[in-house]
Amino acid sequence: MRIPGRSRTGTEPVTARSALGLRLLLSLVYVPVFLAGTVLFAVWASRAGPGDAPAPDSLRTLAWICGVLTVLGLVDLSVVLARRRRERSAAPGRGSGRS
């Protein structure tokens, strides 16, 4: 796709795409890891006392970070699955109309 008034500045191919298989694998591996981290740090923070080390505030921060990474992984997983589904339905030779 060429954008009028804009020239290419890099050497990447015109049809460059991200590695959907690798992104799918990474999402499938790390979403459960970050979800487990979110639960672990949240439970640990709820049971930690004011004088404990690490501090409950630090544990809550780690739980929030893991939660955000879980959500980002889920969003990326849904994008990858939608792109793979769209590419498979648009592939030549698959003119059955069903997906």
Side-chain angles (χ1 to χ4, degrees):
M1 179 166 115
R2 180 132 169 91
I3 300 173
R6 209 173 143 189
S7 63
R8 291 173 30 121
T9 59
T11 60
E12 74 279 353
V14 176
T15 58
R17 297 186 326 221
S18 64
L20 293 181
L22 180 61
R23 283 177 57 190
L24 178 66
L25 177 67
L26 289 174
S27 292
L28 289 175
V29 169
Y30 284 107
V31 165
V33 169
F34 288 128
L35 182 62
T38 301
V39 171
L40 174 79
F41 288 127
V43 169
W44 190 3
S46 69
R47 294 184 179 182
D52 290 346
D57 288 339
S58 299
L59 295 171
R60 278 192 291 275
T61 302
L62 287 172
W64 274 103
I65 290 169
C66 285
V68 167
L69 290 172
T70 301
V71 170
L72 288 174
L74 287 171
V75 168
D76 188 51
L77 182 62
S78 65
V79 167
V80 167
L81 291 175
R83 282 183 57 191
R84 285 173 57 111
R85 193 176 316 117
R86 185 176 56 229
E87 286 179 4
R88 283 199 175 124
S89 66
R94 297 198 184 248
S96 65
R98 291 181 290 188
S99 46

